[in-house]
Amino acid sequence: MLKTPANPGGLRIEVLDGLRKELAANRAQFYLDFASGPFYGYNRPGAKASQGVIENWWRQGMMGGAKAHYDGIKAFSETDFTADLKSINVPTLVMHGEDDQIVPIADSALLSAKLLKNSTLKIYEKFPHGMCTTHADVVNPSLLAFIRS
């Protein structure tokens, strides 16, 4: 996800440093804010937030280790998986929400689908990063159809 010469459309390091700073300053509030806003798309006009979903995501976040979560930001954002993706040759479903505010679609799903030898790309219009929770009724049938194929 990090902007590098190999990934010019990625996120600036300052964005990721900001996440680490917020997490370190107040982890509990970070998990509430992230779930209440961009993760599930609840910050979009007309979105109806689910307090239960927000609190469940907070619960899951608080169960993990603070150091692991802090280090995890580096791992998920700065690790280059290009070689790994190129080595995968089994059928692979790449699913992505078009309105994912967490992981930009152009530098993730679109790129991943190109790197995988045998991929199927499924983009969900206006769906957020947390689409498997917010739109399970649409996503789950897609998963089952792919598995059955």
Side-chain angles (χ1 to χ4, degrees):
M1 287 179 50
L2 180 65
K3 183 175 186 169
T4 64
N7 185 25
L11 296 173
R12 295 179 346 268
I13 191 69
E14 293 82 9
V15 173
L16 302 163
D17 287 343
L19 290 175
R20 283 186 276 262
K21 183 178 178 182
E22 290 176 33
L23 183 71
N26 187 337
R27 188 167 68 121
Q29 191 62 52
F30 173 81
Y31 288 125
L32 284 175
D33 293 345
F34 214 63
S36 298
F39 192 87
Y40 292 112
Y42 292 152
N43 60 333
R44 294 299 197 208
K48 185 177 178 188
S50 166
Q51 194 60 37
V53 166
I54 292 166
E55 290 177 13
N56 188 51
W57 202 79
W58 176 87
R59 178 190 59 80
Q60 292 174 61
M62 294 306 292
M63 286 178 17
K67 175 84 166 95
H69 288 162
Y70 186 90
D71 292 344
I73 294 171
K74 180 177 184 68
F76 79 69
S77 64
E78 297 180 36
T79 304
D80 184 354
F81 292 104
T82 301
D84 299 280
L85 291 169
K86 286 180 177 180
S87 72
I88 297 170
N89 57 18
V90 297
T92 306
L93 177 61
V94 178
M95 304 170 80
H96 206 98
E98 173 268 332
D99 190 33
D100 187 328
Q101 300 171 69
I102 308 303
V103 178
I105 191 171
D107 296 308
S108 56
L110 303 182
L111 182 56
S112 295
K114 288 179 186 176
L115 294 172
L116 292 159
K117 292 180 177 84
N118 191 7
S119 70
T120 299
L121 176 62
K122 187 136 179 82
I123 299 170
Y124 297 88
E125 187 177 340
K126 298 182 181 178
F127 281 19
H129 187 81
M131 68 183 186
C132 292
T133 298
T134 59
H135 296 84
D137 59 325
V138 175
V139 173
N140 288 344
S142 296
L143 285 167
L144 288 173
F146 180 79
I147 291 167
R148 289 177 178 144
S149 71

